């Protein structure tokens, strides 16, 4: 490789040229005989079954997905797909439950031979020397890694923009954001450019783009899946650990990949993982019994837009009709927990992020600049006190969960049902409030987003006149007032969030399946 220049614009130019060359190399191949309809298959088990029977080849599927992508792992992906086809031909079977499944990764997962940038210019042309543990496990299950996708500078934002790759736009409207920080994955999945995506979540970064793009997205508790080999801004902090999790167009696909990864005992590979096997008994029990569901419609800080409320309450009616009990939840402790998280974000005075950006020499995107300049670094003693507040709030929320009981049975709720965001996708640089998601990162609870509806003409008739509670609420209100006609025209997706307590992934996925089954009976949620 030629000498790498010092200036950040030249580094960006070279990186984009390398991307273009990788694209051109594959684009020159003849794709005229490809059946691109395979990208319409949303379910992993269905696709793998067709590969296992010989109806499809892994190479054919990989090429079909490459046809829709704009990233740079294609050559290695085709080599891997051919190896998988050779294995099936020789042995008459498949290597695992993800045999030939095209998978994409947020540009945060180490993949041997490729950069992991986190949206920083300073990290280009520094390829990883080994795969992240999760990537290695996915490959052993038969997956084919075809691309890495965009994320915001530093990852610390709920939209997707950086000076290296630029702005990621919403496939439904280029003036709107797909969310973030796993926005590249969400946009690609919406376009059927991948079958399964992997992201990280430290404040809503899987759930927010899943909500905005009509996808399923799971934030497990942070110790359920291996994180080793996944660099992150503020790496080394453990006060609010980030989680890795999947995004997909099919809920059974999320359940399958979680089950198969946990069956591989990730705690034998990553010291951070909890030694908890897949508990199928829990999953099966919650799929087949009446549920007790806590309902939180409003976090008390920012009111949800009319379509968010309508979709949520419509689902509540379906659940009650199906025999499930709805228990009123409340937002007690939410504001205090969010305040603690905001203080954690700036405990180092922005030094970690500032160092990476200054090392590359690129400009700050406005949101990141505001974040690093928000506060001064705190002392070790003050940091200890902040952790004491966090632990006290975690304990208080555990008591709250135990104390809120069904008025008919006297039992605790199984999960909490609530909005994922107070609004659908919005124009670029308009996201400001993520309190509906990031509270669960502080508590380290399991949380799932399920697509539940879309913005519709009826929403414009709903009353939307109230005194703003605060600046954030006023801003959110103006987003609906000024953009509702466009949001209705686009029919923007609306997701709902299902939350269980810590390490309750099986329960959350099972109840997600119950909810999804009820929702699929409505044409509103078909994308």
């Amino acid at each position: 490789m030629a000498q790498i220049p010092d200036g950040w614009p030249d580094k960006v130019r070279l990186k984009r040229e390398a991307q273009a060359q990788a694209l051109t190399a594959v684009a020159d191949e003849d794709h005229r005989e490809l059946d691109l309809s395979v990208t319409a298959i949303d379910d992993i088990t269905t696709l793998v079954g067709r590969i296992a029977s010989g109806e499809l080849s892994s190479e054919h599927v990989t090429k079909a997905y490459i046809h829709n992508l704009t990233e740079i792992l294609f050559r290695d992906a085709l080599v891997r797909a051919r190896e998988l086809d050779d294995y099936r031909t020789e042995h008459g079977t498949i290597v695992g439950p993800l045999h030939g499944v095209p998978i994409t990764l947020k540009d945060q997962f180490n993949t041997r031979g490729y950069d992991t940038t986190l949206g920083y210019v300073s990290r280009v042309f520094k390829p990883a020397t080994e795969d992240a543990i999760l990537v290695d496990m996915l490959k052993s299950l038969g997956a084919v890694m075809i691309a890495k996708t965009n994320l915001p500078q530093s990852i610390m934002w709920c939209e997707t923009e950086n000076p290296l790759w630029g702005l990621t736009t919403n496939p439904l409207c280029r003036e709107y954001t797909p969310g973030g920080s796993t926005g590249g994955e969400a946009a690609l999945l919406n376009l059927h450019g991948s079958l399964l995506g992997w992201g990280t979540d430290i404040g809503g970064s899987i759930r927010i783009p899943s909500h905005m793009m009509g996808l399923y997205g799971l934030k497990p508790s942070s110790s359920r899946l291996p994180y080793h080999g996944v660099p992150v801004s503020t790496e080394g902090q453990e006060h609010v650990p980030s989680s890795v999790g999947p995004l997909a167009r099919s809920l059974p696909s999320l359940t399958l990949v979680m089950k198969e990864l946990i069956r591989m005992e990730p705690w034998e590979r990553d010291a951070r993982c909890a030694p908890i096997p897949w508990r199928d008994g829990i999953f099966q029990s919650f799929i087949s019994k009446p549920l007790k569901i806590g309902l939180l419609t409003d976090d008390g800080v920012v009111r949800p837009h009319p379509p968010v409320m309508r979709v949520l309450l419509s689902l509540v009616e379906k659940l009650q009709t199906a025999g499930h009990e709805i228990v009123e939840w409340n937002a007690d402790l939410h504001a205090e927990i969010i305040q603690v998280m905001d203080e954690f974000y700036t405990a180092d005075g922005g030094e970690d992020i500032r160092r990476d950006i200054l090392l590359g020499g690129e400009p700050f995107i406005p949101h990141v600049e505001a974040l690093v300049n928000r506060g001064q670094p705190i002392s070790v003693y003050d940091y200890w006190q902040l952790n004491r507040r966090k632990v006290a709030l975690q304990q208080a929320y555990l008591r709250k969960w135990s104390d809120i009981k069904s008025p008919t049975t006297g039992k605790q709720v199984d999960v909490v049902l609530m909005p994922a965001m107070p609004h659908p996708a919005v124009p670029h640089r308009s996201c400001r409030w993520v309190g509906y998601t990031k509270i669960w990162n502080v508590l380290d609870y399991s949380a799932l987003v399920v697509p539940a509806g879309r913005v519709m003409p009826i929403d414009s008739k709903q009353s939307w006149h109230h005194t703003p509670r605060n600046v954030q609420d006023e801003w959110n209100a103006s987003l609906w007032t000024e953009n509702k006609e466009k949001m209705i025209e686009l029919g923007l997706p609306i997701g709902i969030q299902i939350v269980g307590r810590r390490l309750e992934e099986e329960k959350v996925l099972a109840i997600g399946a119950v909810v999804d089954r009820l929702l699929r009976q409505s044409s509103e949620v078909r994308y």
Side-chain angles (χ1 to χ4, degrees):
M1 180 182 291
Q3 183 177 1
I4 299 171
D6 293 329
W8 77 267
D10 289 328
K11 289 180 180 177
V12 170
R13 175 181 55 78
L14 285 178
K15 189 65 178 173
R16 294 188 183 186
E17 286 176 358
Q19 180 198 51
Q21 290 168 4
L23 288 169
T24 301
V26 175
D28 288 343
E29 296 187 7
D30 190 351
H31 295 287
R32 286 175 296 178
E33 301 302 319
L34 284 180
D35 176 10
L36 300 181
S37 68
V38 299
T39 63
I41 300 172
D42 294 335
D43 183 65
I44 287 176
T45 302
T46 301
L47 178 66
V48 173
R50 292 178 66 179
I51 293 173
S53 70
E55 181 182 350
L56 293 172
S57 71
S58 298
E59 182 179 4
H60 179 102
V61 172
T62 301
K63 284 185 174 180
Y65 272 95
I66 282 175
H67 180 85
N68 281 332
L69 289 174
T70 56
E71 259 290 357
I72 57 172
L73 279 66
F74 300 160
R75 282 298 184 189
D76 285 351
L78 288 171
V79 169
R80 175 61 172 158
R82 290 165 190 146
E83 290 173 351
L84 291 169
D85 288 337
D86 292 343
Y87 182 95
R88 198 197 71 82
T89 299
E90 180 179 352
H91 298 279
T93 187
I94 56 177
V95 303
L98 300 184
H99 184 110
V101 173
I103 287 181
T104 44
L105 306 162
K106 184 180 187 178
D107 190 11
Q108 194 182 340
F109 291 80
N110 283 346
T111 304
R112 187 167 61 87
Y114 295 91
D115 291 342
T116 303
T117 71
L118 278 73
Y120 290 128
V121 175
S122 63
R123 301 198 184 199
V124 301
F125 301 115
K126 298 175 182 177
T129 56
E130 61 182 13
D131 289 335
I133 289 175
L134 182 80
V135 172
D136 183 63
M137 292 173 70
L138 290 168
K139 286 181 177 179
S140 70
L141 292 170
V144 178
M145 308 298 162
I146 60 174
K148 296 177 77 171
T149 55
N150 205 18
L151 71 179
Q153 181 186 55
S154 83
I155 77 164
M156 302 292 285
W157 194 27
C158 57
E159 299 191 34
T160 302
E161 180 180 15
N162 60 67
L164 177 60
W165 297 116
L167 179 70
T168 297
T169 60
N170 189 313
L172 301 174
C173 177
R174 61 182 302 126
E175 285 78 34
Y176 277 59
T177 180
S181 62
T182 315
E185 283 296 315
L188 194 61
L189 283 159
N190 179 276
L191 288 167
H192 290 244
S194 176
L195 188 55
L196 179 70
W198 283 90
T200 61
D201 192 313
I202 197 172
S205 293
I206 289 171
R207 291 162 289 158
I208 291 168
S210 295
H211 153 74
M212 290 187 178
M213 296 313 315
L215 303 170
Y216 302 86
L218 176 68
K219 183 206 82 68
S221 293
S222 61
S223 60
R224 201 70 198 271
L225 292 178
Y227 207 99
H228 187 76
V230 185
V232 61
S233 289
T234 67
E235 192 160 10
Q237 67 84 6
E238 290 294 327
H239 42 247
V240 183
S242 180
S243 300
V244 299
L247 304 83
R249 297 186 301 275
S250 154
L251 184 56
S253 294
L254 291 194
T255 303
L256 171 70
V257 75
M258 286 294 296
K259 178 168 63 176
E260 295 299 336
L261 285 168
I262 291 169
R263 282 177 172 174
M264 294 180 71
E265 301 183 347
W267 53 89
E268 296 291 345
R269 305 181 186 215
D270 188 337
R272 183 175 164 180
C273 282
I276 301 175
W278 176 260
R279 298 162 294 189
D280 203 55
I282 292 176
F283 182 84
Q284 296 299 334
S285 70
F286 281 97
I287 270 189
S288 56
K289 69 178 184 180
L291 302 171
K292 297 173 291 299
I293 298 175
L295 174 64
L296 180 65
T297 59
D298 186 334
D299 72 351
V301 181
V302 174
R303 290 177 176 84
H305 285 183
V308 176
M309 287 294 293
R310 175 184 55 77
V311 167
L312 181 62
L313 295 178
S314 173
L315 172 58
V316 167
E317 290 182 7
K318 291 180 173 67
L319 286 163
Q320 290 175 319
T321 301
H324 304 293
E325 183 180 5
I326 301 299
V327 178
E328 183 180 351
W329 202 255
N330 63 60
D332 292 353
L333 300 175
H334 283 225
E336 297 96 316
I337 291 171
I338 290 167
Q339 176 62 34
V340 164
M341 186 163 193
D342 287 345
E343 291 181 41
F344 273 132
Y345 276 158
T346 59
D348 70 339
E351 180 178 357
D352 181 88
I353 295 172
R354 188 180 292 109
R355 283 185 180 220
D356 258 308
I357 293 175
L358 294 178
L359 184 62
E362 77 260 35
F364 289 85
I365 62 172
H367 176 86
V368 174
E369 185 171 29
L371 176 66
V372 300
N373 292 327
R374 186 186 295 170
Q376 295 297 312
I378 62 177
S379 70
V380 172
Y381 178 80
D382 287 340
Y383 175 69
W384 289 345
Q385 306 319 301
L386 190 55
N387 273 290
R388 289 181 62 187
R389 286 166 57 196
K390 179 197 77 171
V391 173
L393 286 165
Q394 289 174 330
Q395 192 67 22
Y397 212 96
L398 180 64
R399 288 195 298 270
K400 171 183 171 178
W401 195 292
S402 299
D403 290 344
I404 297 180
K405 293 183 169 64
S406 159
T408 57
T409 66
K411 294 183 178 180
Q412 298 175 16
V413 302
D414 299 312
V415 293
V416 171
L417 177 68
M418 62 184 292
M421 285 286 276
H423 53 70
V426 291
H428 292 295
R429 306 175 186 92
S430 296
C431 284
R432 294 193 180 181
W433 181 250
V434 295
Y436 286 89
T437 53
K438 69 182 180 181
I439 177 175
W440 309 117
N441 295 86
V442 180
L443 298 172
D444 202 18
Y445 283 9
S446 311
L448 171 71
V449 163
V450 173
R454 60 178 72 237
V455 184
M456 300 180 73
I458 192 174
D459 297 316
S460 66
K461 299 179 174 61
Q462 298 302 311
S463 175
W464 187 246
H465 302 289
H466 58 262
T467 302
R469 299 164 172 167
N470 49 60
V471 173
Q472 300 283 14
D473 193 43
E474 184 175 22
W475 173 258
N476 182 63
S478 69
L479 286 175
W480 176 247
T481 302
E482 296 170 10
N483 299 286
K484 62 182 179 181
E485 288 83 6
K486 187 65 175 180
M487 292 177 174
I488 291 168
E489 175 191 337
L490 295 170
L492 294 174
I494 301 288
I496 54 89
Q497 187 175 198
I498 299 168
V499 182
R501 293 194 297 190
R502 189 168 178 267
L503 297 167
E504 290 189 339
E505 288 75 29
E506 292 90 345
K507 179 200 287 187
V508 166
L509 286 166
I511 295 176
V514 173
V515 167
D516 193 49
R517 188 164 55 244
L518 291 173
L519 289 168
R520 294 316 101 189
Q521 299 168 5
S522 170
S523 60
E524 182 184 343
V525 296
R526 294 174 192 153
Y527 293 103

